Amino acid sequence: MQGSFRLFRIAGVDIDIHWSWLLVFILLTWTLATGLFGEEFSGWTQAERWVAASATSIVFFGSILAHELSHSIVANRLGIPVRRITLFVFGGVSHLESESRTPREEFLIAIAGPATSFVIAGLLGGLWVVLSPVREPAAFAAGYLAVANGVIGIFNLIPGFPLDGGRVLRAFLWSITNGLLRATRLASWVGTIVAYGLMVLGIAVMILTGEILSGVWFIFIGWFLRNAAETSYQQVLMRHLLSAVPVRSLLDRSYEWVAPNMTLQTLLDEHILPRSARYFPVTGGSGLGGVITPKDVRRFPKTAWASTAVYQAMTPAERLAVISPEVSLDEALQLMSKHSTQQLPVMEGGTLVGFVTRQDIMRTVQLRVELGVAEKRETPV
Ligand SMILES: [Zn+2]
């Protein structure tokens, strides 16, 4: 996600914070310090209120993180790698590297989050009961956080995809229809209805209670959910579509071999610019010696282009991510993301047979979606 930075790493998962989440953190702390804590403990100094409010916000942050981590831990256990969690204005996202393979996996990953929130709510509720006769402020914070976690658990169980409840619904539909795509379409459709429902609720809240901020908040969440439902469905559609198409059918064979001792300047003047090509295989001892791209050239200062040879700048064959023509375009895209590259050399029996590019893959998706032939290939899983 653009605009996020890594905070720390826990259980093998990077925890990233998006700037929008900081806004929520500050807003929550401010609301607690000036509002709730101020009203409840009028004898407190400003400093005491702010300390208590910050501590409460940090525990709140911890509970959202625990919710998200539980999704990731279950996914990792099931063999679906999660390397990153991003916390942002509406909560958190676990970046699963692939989709669940069965309805059961989908259900387990989805339900782990709300279950964790309810367990935390229960524990804090218990703490509230124990503490309320003795230490008022801590009890107050525990009670407040117990309710907050309960609300998070309930909200996430709303059956609109891609909320957790929507994923549970998708798992259920998937198990009865035997088609992930169809199940996703239905669950996203419910998600869209829920999203519009939240927007209408937001408007109603504004009109009926005059609570502008709460109303706007509901509208924002609804708007976000609507987009998420749409993009999640598009993603599943795309992956579904690409998983049925082999790399072989989209090979680019129009590349030009270049010699390893050619200078970067010659490469630029005689090959890159005239052909506006983005990758060149470099000849090596026994076939492919490496691949050079404009990005590799840019790593050297302009003044060095005339004196640097292609082999010094290229990615050598042994460090290249390569792919077989028989694997699916979906796998090709995943490999490209993993290696942050726009194209992959396609190798068959140790020989270069072509390249597959992200651009070509996107074009084929676009074309199939435009022609309306994207959804017809569903096969039972
Ligand atoms: Zn969740």
Side-chain angles (χ1 to χ4, degrees), residues 67-68 70-71 92 94 109-110 112-114 117 152 156 162-165 167:
H67 171 113
E68 217 49 56
S70 65
H71 288 304
S94 299
I109 296 171
S117 293
I152 289 167
N156 275 287
L163 287 174
D164 297 335
R167 290 186 180 276

